[in-house]
Amino acid sequence: MKLIRYGESKQEKPGIVDSDGRIRDLSGVISDVDGSTITESGLARLRGLDISTLPVVEGNPRIGPCVGNIGKFVCIGLNYSDHAAESGLPEPSEPVVFNKWTSAIVGPNDDVAIPRGSKKTDWEVELGVVIGKEARYISKEDALSHVAGYCVINDVSEREYQTERGGTWDKGKGCDTFGPIGPGW
């Protein structure tokens, strides 16, 4: 099942991609692809639909962020040894956690605004894990039961802001539009 959001920025509608690659409109079934619909029961309801009965979305609409109303955008840095080595940094003994602000979230093909004074804008493709139920102090064995789906993330960074100006990584990672997400699922 591939869920998407399509339409004008901040006015996206929920959709699902059928087996022929066409977008089907889900707005008669759910109001958005967000925390209320990516629960176990919400996804089970969507899996039970005969999507061939849903209206086909005509044309080539803009694809928005694959999830709406995101509460947290938590990222893990240096999450594999080759990346730490290519960055000239030691492999961390604990996860390097940083955030992207929710204003960083845009659709996968939307423009990215380069901040004034940027000298080292960079990007990496990452696997996004969409969490579908509250997750706090869970065991490693139970972790996947909290995953609702996956998406592509374009982790845009301003490396000078991130590593050469002291402080946290957030200021080089969380700029507006620095978190294009989707498509997903």
Side-chain angles (χ1 to χ4, degrees):
M1 176 169 56
K2 186 173 183 179
L3 300 174
I4 65 166
R5 297 170 72 244
Y6 67 95
E8 296 299 316
S9 180
K10 311 284 188 242
Q11 299 174 36
E12 291 91 355
K13 293 181 179 181
I16 190 166
V17 179
D18 69 18
S19 60
D20 295 322
R22 295 176 300 195
I23 299 171
R24 300 285 185 147
D25 183 6
L26 273 174
S27 60
V29 179
I30 58 174
S31 60
D32 200 356
V33 177
D34 61 13
S36 66
T37 57
I38 61 172
T39 62
E40 286 181 57
S41 61
L43 293 173
R45 178 178 174 222
L46 294 177
R47 281 188 201 98
L49 292 174
D50 177 359
I51 64 173
S52 68
T53 64
L54 298 172
V56 172
V57 175
E58 299 297 334
N60 190 23
R62 170 190 168 270
I63 302 300
C66 57
V67 180
N69 296 319
I70 296 172
K72 295 180 185 177
F73 194 160
V74 180
C75 307
I76 307 298
L78 303 175
N79 53 10
Y80 58 98
S81 57
D82 286 353
H83 185 42
E86 75 184 10
S87 300
L89 297 168
E91 205 171 308
S93 59
E94 289 193 20
V96 175
V97 179
F98 64 93
N99 298 299
K100 285 190 177 278
W101 314 127
T102 55
S103 63
I105 298 167
V106 293
N109 302 311
D110 290 345
D111 290 339
V112 171
I114 306 302
R116 181 176 42 211
S118 176
K119 296 177 183 169
K120 296 182 178 179
T121 300
D122 193 10
W123 60 273
E124 303 167 278
V125 175
E126 302 286 357
L127 173 66
V129 179
V130 179
I131 305 300
K133 66 180 178 180
E134 188 172 309
R136 185 178 297 124
Y137 303 113
I138 58 173
S139 68
K140 183 177 179 180
E141 297 75 28
D142 193 36
L144 288 178
S145 72
H146 294 264
V147 175
Y150 302 93
C151 66
V152 176
I153 306 261
N154 185 350
D155 177 15
V156 183
S157 307
E158 206 310 325
R159 299 292 186 199
E160 181 188 28
Y161 298 1
Q162 175 189 351
T163 61
E164 298 174 27
R165 292 191 177 183
T168 67
W169 281 14
D170 298 342
K171 65 184 168 189
K173 295 279 200 171
C175 301
D176 291 349
T177 72
F178 269 26
I181 65 171
W185 314 91

